[in-house]
Amino acid sequence: MDIDETPDRLDAHDEEVAAHAGADPEAFLSVLPHFYRGSVSQTTRAQDRLDRTTDWAITLIAALLSVVFASEDMPAHLLLIGLILLGMFLFFEVRRYRFFDVWRSQVRFVEENIFANVFNPADVEYHPNWREKISDDLRQPTFKVSYLEALSRRVRRVYALLFVVVGLAWVFKITLFSPGAQWTEAAALPGIPGLVVATALALFYIAVFLIAFWPGKRKAKGEIHDVEPGYWKEADDERQ
């Protein structure tokens, strides 16, 4: 066969095989389970990556507390390094959470508009054009939750407690576990008075709790915890 005669692309009939399957209910229902299982698998993997980040953060804090309280000679500012490392883990986790939410929202969207109607066909579809929405999201994936909302959720559910544990450990270290020095001396850093360090930490924890209980309007899709469900895609806000 001449090189020029070698087909380098599918013909029009082959390219439209998926469109024919979408128009045939029986063919569409045979494809749907594979799509659903794939989305669930992606969600599970994303959840595993998210959990591993949290596990590493907890392991780090446990190891750091063991080192700091192993001896009175250990300085309290090691715990401040722990706060910085926690912030790094939080940054990674927020990013992973946003990707996890992409797959989670897709799975919920399929369950809501397909499987819910299978169990009770009398109900009206929540999204009449759900197939178009899924197709649009597969072609142009978008985050369903904003960075600030994802940050607030991860701080509120996981990292607020870890920050509090480290903060209480720091307070105990500069008071109860440093009997030979004033707390301002134990809290001081090279060139920075202890009172300044304590003030900076107080401001940091105020910011943490403001983020954790951020009162902004919920945009992520979800129907749990007595929260009004949001839109599936951020672009829906523009069409209202």
Side-chain angles (χ1 to χ4, degrees):
M1 178 183 292
D2 187 65
I3 297 179
D4 295 335
E5 296 178 359
T6 303
D8 57 356
R9 62 188 300 274
L10 298 174
D11 58 34
H13 176 75
D14 292 330
E15 289 180 343
E16 294 299 324
V17 64
H20 294 323
D24 182 1
E26 184 175 351
F28 174 74
L29 291 177
S30 67
V31 172
L32 182 61
H34 300 289
F35 168 72
Y36 179 72
R37 283 195 296 268
S39 297
V40 170
S41 177
Q42 292 280 12
T43 304
T44 302
R45 283 198 292 268
Q47 178 71 68
D48 289 341
R49 295 182 69 227
L50 192 65
D51 291 341
R52 282 199 297 270
T53 308
T54 304
D55 292 341
W56 274 108
I58 295 174
T59 302
L60 170 70
I61 294 305
L64 186 62
L65 292 177
S66 299
V67 171
V68 171
F69 288 97
S71 171
E72 292 184 0
D73 297 331
M74 288 294 179
H77 64 254
L78 289 178
L79 293 170
L80 303 183
I81 298 176
L83 289 179
I84 297 175
L85 294 177
L86 271 182
M88 294 175 57
F89 277 107
L90 176 60
F91 171 78
F92 296 142
E93 187 156 326
V94 168
R95 183 176 182 274
R96 290 184 174 185
Y97 180 82
R98 296 187 76 196
F99 279 98
F100 158 75
D101 188 73
V102 170
W103 297 107
R104 181 200 64 83
S105 298
Q106 190 174 92
V107 169
R108 281 292 299 123
F109 197 71
V110 172
E111 291 173 345
E112 179 183 23
N113 292 281
I114 301 176
F115 295 112
N117 288 332
V118 170
F119 287 105
N120 189 1
D123 283 351
V124 179
E125 292 176 345
Y126 187 80
H127 293 92
N129 57 336
W130 58 267
R131 290 181 63 174
E132 290 82 355
K133 286 181 177 291
I134 293 179
S135 175
D136 177 61
D137 196 62
L138 290 175
R139 288 188 171 94
Q140 295 181 334
T142 59
F143 288 121
K144 315 302 186 299
V145 57
S146 67
Y147 187 91
L148 183 57
E149 184 174 352
L151 176 64
S152 176
R153 286 175 138 188
R154 299 318 294 169
V155 170
R156 183 170 60 252
R157 295 180 181 181
V158 179
Y159 283 83
L161 179 59
L162 295 179
F163 283 132
V164 167
V165 169
V166 175
L168 291 176
W170 181 80
V171 171
F172 290 150
K173 182 63 179 178
I174 65 174
T175 55
L176 300 179
F177 290 87
S178 298
Q182 294 291 330
W183 74 267
T184 52
E185 297 177 359
L189 294 174
I192 303 177
L195 186 59
V196 175
V197 174
T199 303
L201 276 179
L203 295 175
F204 170 77
Y205 277 95
I206 290 174
V208 167
F209 282 100
L210 286 177
I211 292 174
F213 298 100
W214 170 59
K217 183 179 178 182
R218 178 188 175 92
K219 292 184 179 180
K221 179 179 175 57
E223 304 83 9
I224 306 177
H225 305 306
D226 297 325
V227 178
E228 191 70 22
Y231 297 111
W232 190 55
K233 291 174 65 67
E234 293 181 2
D236 289 342
D237 292 327
E238 302 173 359
R239 292 195 287 266
Q240 298 303 312

PDB file of all heavy atoms in Angstrom, residues 117-132:
ATOM      1  N   ASN A 117     -34.305   8.686  39.154  1.00  0.00           N
ATOM      2  CA  ASN A 117     -35.501   8.508  38.330  1.00  0.00           C
ATOM      3  C   ASN A 117     -35.783   7.041  38.035  1.00  0.00           C
ATOM      4  O   ASN A 117     -36.938   6.668  37.778  1.00  0.00           O
ATOM      5  CB  ASN A 117     -35.337   9.275  37.014  1.00  0.00           C
ATOM      6  CG  ASN A 117     -35.432  10.773  37.221  1.00  0.00           C
ATOM      7  OD1 ASN A 117     -36.098  11.234  38.139  1.00  0.00           O
ATOM      8  ND2 ASN A 117     -34.750  11.530  36.389  1.00  0.00           N
ATOM      9  N   VAL A 118     -34.760   6.210  38.046  1.00  0.00           N
ATOM     10  CA  VAL A 118     -34.980   4.775  37.866  1.00  0.00           C
ATOM     11  C   VAL A 118     -35.790   4.218  39.029  1.00  0.00           C
ATOM     12  O   VAL A 118     -36.726   3.434  38.851  1.00  0.00           O
ATOM     13  CB  VAL A 118     -33.633   4.032  37.735  1.00  0.00           C
ATOM     14  CG1 VAL A 118     -33.846   2.525  37.787  1.00  0.00           C
ATOM     15  CG2 VAL A 118     -32.947   4.422  36.427  1.00  0.00           C
ATOM     16  N   PHE A 119     -35.435   4.649  40.245  1.00  0.00           N
ATOM     17  CA  PHE A 119     -36.139   4.154  41.421  1.00  0.00           C
ATOM     18  C   PHE A 119     -37.523   4.786  41.576  1.00  0.00           C
ATOM     19  O   PHE A 119     -38.422   4.173  42.151  1.00  0.00           O
ATOM     20  CB  PHE A 119     -35.308   4.423  42.678  1.00  0.00           C
ATOM     21  CG  PHE A 119     -34.116   3.534  42.807  1.00  0.00           C
ATOM     22  CD1 PHE A 119     -32.836   4.019  42.547  1.00  0.00           C
ATOM     23  CD2 PHE A 119     -34.253   2.199  43.146  1.00  0.00           C
ATOM     24  CE1 PHE A 119     -31.729   3.198  42.654  1.00  0.00           C
ATOM     25  CE2 PHE A 119     -33.153   1.369  43.247  1.00  0.00           C
ATOM     26  CZ  PHE A 119     -31.887   1.875  43.003  1.00  0.00           C
ATOM     27  N   ASN A 120     -37.695   6.000  41.084  1.00  0.00           N
ATOM     28  CA  ASN A 120     -38.997   6.660  41.185  1.00  0.00           C
ATOM     29  C   ASN A 120     -39.227   7.477  39.922  1.00  0.00           C
ATOM     30  O   ASN A 120     -38.999   8.687  39.900  1.00  0.00           O
ATOM     31  CB  ASN A 120     -39.054   7.554  42.425  1.00  0.00           C
ATOM     32  CG  ASN A 120     -40.459   8.088  42.674  1.00  0.00           C
ATOM     33  OD1 ASN A 120     -41.394   7.781  41.940  1.00  0.00           O
ATOM     34  ND2 ASN A 120     -40.602   8.896  43.711  1.00  0.00           N
ATOM     35  N   PRO A 121     -39.708   6.838  38.846  1.00  0.00           N
ATOM     36  CA  PRO A 121     -39.874   7.539  37.563  1.00  0.00           C
ATOM     37  C   PRO A 121     -40.903   8.654  37.607  1.00  0.00           C
ATOM     38  O   PRO A 121     -40.948   9.487  36.700  1.00  0.00           O
ATOM     39  CB  PRO A 121     -40.324   6.419  36.608  1.00  0.00           C
ATOM     40  CG  PRO A 121     -39.937   5.151  37.288  1.00  0.00           C
ATOM     41  CD  PRO A 121     -40.040   5.413  38.753  1.00  0.00           C
ATOM     42  N   ALA A 122     -41.743   8.690  38.632  1.00  0.00           N
ATOM     43  CA  ALA A 122     -42.787   9.710  38.687  1.00  0.00           C
ATOM     44  C   ALA A 122     -42.217  11.093  38.957  1.00  0.00           C
ATOM     45  O   ALA A 122     -42.841  12.107  38.648  1.00  0.00           O
ATOM     46  CB  ALA A 122     -43.818   9.356  39.759  1.00  0.00           C
ATOM     47  N   ASP A 123     -41.037  11.147  39.563  1.00  0.00           N
ATOM     48  CA  ASP A 123     -40.430  12.444  39.883  1.00  0.00           C
ATOM     49  C   ASP A 123     -39.944  13.136  38.615  1.00  0.00           C
ATOM     50  O   ASP A 123     -39.528  12.497  37.657  1.00  0.00           O
ATOM     51  CB  ASP A 123     -39.262  12.272  40.846  1.00  0.00           C
ATOM     52  CG  ASP A 123     -39.743  12.041  42.265  1.00  0.00           C
ATOM     53  OD1 ASP A 123     -40.957  12.190  42.516  1.00  0.00           O
ATOM     54  OD2 ASP A 123     -38.900  11.714  43.107  1.00  0.00           O
ATOM     55  N   VAL A 124     -39.984  14.446  38.639  1.00  0.00           N
ATOM     56  CA  VAL A 124     -39.489  15.238  37.525  1.00  0.00           C
ATOM     57  C   VAL A 124     -37.973  15.365  37.652  1.00  0.00           C
ATOM     58  O   VAL A 124     -37.434  15.479  38.747  1.00  0.00           O
ATOM     59  CB  VAL A 124     -40.140  16.638  37.529  1.00  0.00           C
ATOM     60  CG1 VAL A 124     -39.610  17.480  36.372  1.00  0.00           C
ATOM     61  CG2 VAL A 124     -41.651  16.498  37.449  1.00  0.00           C
ATOM     62  N   GLU A 125     -37.277  15.342  36.537  1.00  0.00           N
ATOM     63  CA  GLU A 125     -35.830  15.467  36.558  1.00  0.00           C
ATOM     64  C   GLU A 125     -35.423  16.796  37.172  1.00  0.00           C
ATOM     65  O   GLU A 125     -36.021  17.839  36.889  1.00  0.00           O
ATOM     66  CB  GLU A 125     -35.269  15.376  35.138  1.00  0.00           C
ATOM     67  CG  GLU A 125     -35.420  14.003  34.502  1.00  0.00           C
ATOM     68  CD  GLU A 125     -34.924  14.002  33.067  1.00  0.00           C
ATOM     69  OE1 GLU A 125     -34.752  15.102  32.528  1.00  0.00           O
ATOM     70  OE2 GLU A 125     -34.716  12.918  32.516  1.00  0.00           O
ATOM     71  N   TYR A 126     -34.392  16.752  37.994  1.00  0.00           N
ATOM     72  CA  TYR A 126     -33.885  17.981  38.612  1.00  0.00           C
ATOM     73  C   TYR A 126     -33.263  18.889  37.566  1.00  0.00           C
ATOM     74  O   TYR A 126     -33.422  20.100  37.596  1.00  0.00           O
ATOM     75  CB  TYR A 126     -32.863  17.619  39.687  1.00  0.00           C
ATOM     76  CG  TYR A 126     -32.411  18.790  40.505  1.00  0.00           C
ATOM     77  CD1 TYR A 126     -33.186  19.285  41.548  1.00  0.00           C
ATOM     78  CD2 TYR A 126     -31.208  19.428  40.221  1.00  0.00           C
ATOM     79  CE1 TYR A 126     -32.762  20.370  42.290  1.00  0.00           C
ATOM     80  CE2 TYR A 126     -30.775  20.510  40.964  1.00  0.00           C
ATOM     81  CZ  TYR A 126     -31.560  20.975  41.991  1.00  0.00           C
ATOM     82  OH  TYR A 126     -31.149  22.046  42.734  1.00  0.00           O
ATOM     83  N   HIS A 127     -32.550  18.318  36.611  1.00  0.00           N
ATOM     84  CA  HIS A 127     -31.968  19.065  35.503  1.00  0.00           C
ATOM     85  C   HIS A 127     -32.506  18.459  34.203  1.00  0.00           C
ATOM     86  O   HIS A 127     -32.068  17.381  33.797  1.00  0.00           O
ATOM     87  CB  HIS A 127     -30.437  18.979  35.498  1.00  0.00           C
ATOM     88  CG  HIS A 127     -29.790  19.653  36.657  1.00  0.00           C
ATOM     89  ND1 HIS A 127     -29.482  18.993  37.821  1.00  0.00           N
ATOM     90  CD2 HIS A 127     -29.411  20.945  36.833  1.00  0.00           C
ATOM     91  CE1 HIS A 127     -28.922  19.841  38.660  1.00  0.00           C
ATOM     92  NE2 HIS A 127     -28.873  21.020  38.096  1.00  0.00           N
ATOM     93  N   PRO A 128     -33.440  19.103  33.553  1.00  0.00           N
ATOM     94  CA  PRO A 128     -34.015  18.535  32.317  1.00  0.00           C
ATOM     95  C   PRO A 128     -32.966  18.283  31.234  1.00  0.00           C
ATOM     96  O   PRO A 128     -33.115  17.381  30.433  1.00  0.00           O
ATOM     97  CB  PRO A 128     -35.018  19.613  31.879  1.00  0.00           C
ATOM     98  CG  PRO A 128     -35.337  20.374  33.129  1.00  0.00           C
ATOM     99  CD  PRO A 128     -34.082  20.363  33.936  1.00  0.00           C
ATOM    100  N   ASN A 129     -31.902  19.076  31.185  1.00  0.00           N
ATOM    101  CA  ASN A 129     -30.866  18.914  30.154  1.00  0.00           C
ATOM    102  C   ASN A 129     -29.587  18.351  30.755  1.00  0.00           C
ATOM    103  O   ASN A 129     -28.476  18.802  30.460  1.00  0.00           O
ATOM    104  CB  ASN A 129     -30.581  20.244  29.465  1.00  0.00           C
ATOM    105  CG  ASN A 129     -30.172  21.315  30.455  1.00  0.00           C
ATOM    106  OD1 ASN A 129     -30.494  21.241  31.636  1.00  0.00           O
ATOM    107  ND2 ASN A 129     -29.456  22.320  29.974  1.00  0.00           N
ATOM    108  N   TRP A 130     -29.747  17.307  31.585  1.00  0.00           N
ATOM    109  CA  TRP A 130     -28.599  16.768  32.299  1.00  0.00           C
ATOM    110  C   TRP A 130     -27.553  16.163  31.362  1.00  0.00           C
ATOM    111  O   TRP A 130     -26.359  16.222  31.626  1.00  0.00           O
ATOM    112  CB  TRP A 130     -29.038  15.745  33.347  1.00  0.00           C
ATOM    113  CG  TRP A 130     -29.822  14.583  32.809  1.00  0.00           C
ATOM    114  CD1 TRP A 130     -31.174  14.480  32.715  1.00  0.00           C
ATOM    115  CD2 TRP A 130     -29.299  13.345  32.306  1.00  0.00           C
ATOM    116  NE1 TRP A 130     -31.548  13.273  32.186  1.00  0.00           N
ATOM    117  CE2 TRP A 130     -30.410  12.546  31.931  1.00  0.00           C
ATOM    118  CE3 TRP A 130     -28.019  12.833  32.150  1.00  0.00           C
ATOM    119  CZ2 TRP A 130     -30.265  11.272  31.400  1.00  0.00           C
ATOM    120  CZ3 TRP A 130     -27.863  11.567  31.618  1.00  0.00           C
ATOM    121  CH2 TRP A 130     -28.984  10.797  31.252  1.00  0.00           C
ATOM    122  N   ARG A 131     -27.980  15.591  30.243  1.00  0.00           N
ATOM    123  CA  ARG A 131     -27.010  14.993  29.319  1.00  0.00           C
ATOM    124  C   ARG A 131     -26.125  16.056  28.690  1.00  0.00           C
ATOM    125  O   ARG A 131     -24.917  15.861  28.524  1.00  0.00           O
ATOM    126  CB  ARG A 131     -27.742  14.195  28.238  1.00  0.00           C
ATOM    127  CG  ARG A 131     -28.396  12.935  28.777  1.00  0.00           C
ATOM    128  CD  ARG A 131     -29.094  12.136  27.696  1.00  0.00           C
ATOM    129  NE  ARG A 131     -28.167  11.651  26.676  1.00  0.00           N
ATOM    130  CZ  ARG A 131     -28.522  10.824  25.695  1.00  0.00           C
ATOM    131  NH1 ARG A 131     -29.784  10.395  25.618  1.00  0.00           N
ATOM    132  NH2 ARG A 131     -27.642  10.417  24.811  1.00  0.00           N
ATOM    133  N   GLU A 132     -26.726  17.200  28.341  1.00  0.00           N
ATOM    134  CA  GLU A 132     -25.930  18.290  27.792  1.00  0.00           C
ATOM    135  C   GLU A 132     -24.936  18.829  28.821  1.00  0.00           C
ATOM    136  O   GLU A 132     -23.793  19.174  28.485  1.00  0.00           O
ATOM    137  CB  GLU A 132     -26.842  19.418  27.306  1.00  0.00           C
ATOM    138  CG  GLU A 132     -27.655  19.080  26.068  1.00  0.00           C
ATOM    139  CD  GLU A 132     -28.921  18.287  26.393  1.00  0.00           C
ATOM    140  OE1 GLU A 132     -29.093  17.921  27.583  1.00  0.00           O
ATOM    141  OE2 GLU A 132     -29.711  18.039  25.475  1.00  0.00           O
TER     142      GLU A 132
END
